[in-house]
Amino acid sequence: MVFAREIVSTDYQEHGAPSFSPDGNEVYWYSNRRPGPENKEWLSFTMTMRRENNRWSAPYVAPQKRFPIFSADGRRAYFSSARPHSDTVQVIPPDLDIWFVERQGDDWSQPKYLNLVARYPELRWAGVGSVASNGTLYFMSYRLGQPDDNGNNLGIYRAELINGEYAKPELLPSCINLLPFLNWTPFIAPDESYLIFSSSRETPKADGGDLYVSFRQPDGSWTNPVTLGKPINTDQQERFPRVSWDGKYLFFSRWTPDHDEDVFWVSSKIIDRLREKSNIKK
């Protein structure tokens, strides 16, 4: 089912699933507007809504101009940016790195960067994906250090938060980062028990990718990913999965002929059914 038609899912391209704060009172999503009569170039906006006294505001452009991924306690929000690291130090060309802000009352701190790309230059860039409750970060980068013509060099990484700093990221195993296919847009469960991501491993070239889930075993290994199947996966590309903080709903985006890309939502019970089918204990 399309999520929030004419509010979130509009005639523009909704580039990603919505990101809700853990308390459910804030939501952010990314919207692209193709060139047209009103704008000659692509325009991109981070949209937001807030709930006060159990009533949602109308959508408006977020003043921060960034798409946040919240930590489990809502005190920190991560985002990707190629902004300069300071007013005096300019990176040419700028590296896409992961930044974060911390909650300060009703506002946020100045952005700080994780410095993943500078510390681990083989990554080349880092695009935020999802954060577990313990702070472990799952993100995208080039798995072979270089881009290719069709984006299939993207890989999904995991970086543990140790003593307040992220350790060297590890590329997830080949069952997830299956060559030569596109594997990206990861969502990790808060307890790291499962990973949902988009992959082109079983789709025709015109499709671009379906959603898959892999379950994490007690020893830290991952099961072979299984497709979420119909009606979630179609002959259009599905990507950017995200499960609501209460665990009830799975959000994702899908390319559609009439609206470019819309946000969809379904019950997350499909994850439990696939876990039981795979004989994985919760």
Side-chain angles (χ1 to χ4, degrees):
M1 180 184 298
V2 175
F3 177 68
R5 170 68 75 198
E6 305 302 334
I7 299 174
V8 173
S9 296
T10 66
D11 289 341
Y12 302 119
Q13 179 197 6
E14 275 58 66
H15 187 64
S19 176
F20 285 89
S21 60
D23 63 10
N25 290 327
E26 298 175 70
V27 61
Y28 294 81
W29 68 97
Y30 205 63
S31 181
N32 290 328
R33 302 182 185 182
R34 292 183 179 274
E38 298 179 358
N39 52 289
K40 295 183 179 181
E41 299 179 352
W42 274 92
L43 297 176
S44 298
F45 302 91
T46 298
M47 304 296 296
T48 187
M49 296 169 59
R50 292 175 179 265
R51 181 169 60 180
E52 295 182 2
N53 299 321
N54 211 32
R55 297 191 64 175
W56 284 99
S57 68
Y60 61 95
V61 177
Q64 301 93 342
K65 296 183 180 180
R66 55 179 175 255
F67 183 83
I69 302 298
F70 290 94
S71 61
D73 61 6
R75 302 299 304 171
R76 180 179 283 196
Y78 297 82
F79 63 98
S80 297
S81 178
R83 67 183 63 196
H85 288 179
S86 71
D87 293 335
T88 58
V89 178
Q90 304 294 318
V91 180
I92 302 174
D95 296 314
L96 185 69
D97 206 339
I98 298 174
W99 297 65
F100 68 92
V101 290
E102 295 178 306
R103 181 78 74 177
Q104 294 181 339
D106 294 331
D107 205 353
W108 294 94
S109 68
Q110 290 297 311
K112 304 174 184 178
Y113 63 97
L114 297 183
N115 209 23
L116 287 174
V117 176
R119 289 192 292 138
Y120 310 109
E122 64 271 20
L123 293 174
R124 298 291 301 277
W125 68 280
V128 70
S130 186
V131 185
S133 293
N134 61 7
T136 298
L137 181 67
Y138 288 71
F139 65 96
M140 300 175 291
S141 186
Y142 294 130
R143 61 181 155 191
L144 301 179
Q146 295 287 341
D148 63 9
D149 293 336
N150 54 18
N152 288 357
N153 256 8
L154 287 177
I156 299 173
Y157 286 78
R158 176 181 183 267
E160 290 187 357
L161 184 63
I162 301 176
N163 297 325
E165 186 170 281
Y166 280 98
K168 184 176 181 178
E170 58 174 314
L171 183 66
L172 293 188
S174 59
C175 66
I176 292 172
N177 288 307
L178 185 64
L179 288 169
F181 304 104
L182 174 63
N183 305 284
W184 65 326
T185 65
F187 169 80
I188 189 63
D191 61 359
E192 292 191 88
S193 62
Y194 65 84
L195 175 78
I196 306 176
F197 63 102
S198 180
S199 177
S200 63
R201 64 189 62 200
E202 295 179 0
T203 59
K205 188 175 182 179
D207 184 331
D210 285 340
L211 297 183
Y212 290 79
V213 61
S214 175
F215 297 98
R216 191 164 184 248
Q217 306 280 48
D219 63 359
S221 63
W222 296 89
T223 63
N224 287 324
V226 293
T227 176
L228 268 60
K230 296 181 179 179
I232 294 173
N233 291 327
T234 66
D235 59 359
Q236 300 291 325
Q237 185 183 58
E238 285 81 26
R239 56 182 182 171
F240 297 111
R242 189 161 301 281
V243 176
S244 58
W245 283 104
D246 61 11
K248 294 181 179 180
Y249 303 103
L250 167 64
F251 296 86
F252 60 93
S253 68
R254 176 189 293 154
W255 284 99
T256 59
D258 54 342
H259 290 94
D260 269 13
E261 191 171 12
D262 282 336
V263 175
F264 289 74
W265 64 326
V266 296
S267 169
S268 63
K269 290 182 179 179
I270 178 64
I271 301 169
D272 292 329
R273 291 197 294 269
L274 291 173
R275 180 188 281 113
E276 293 174 1
K277 188 176 180 180
S278 301
N279 196 29
I280 304 296
K281 292 183 179 180
K282 191 170 183 180

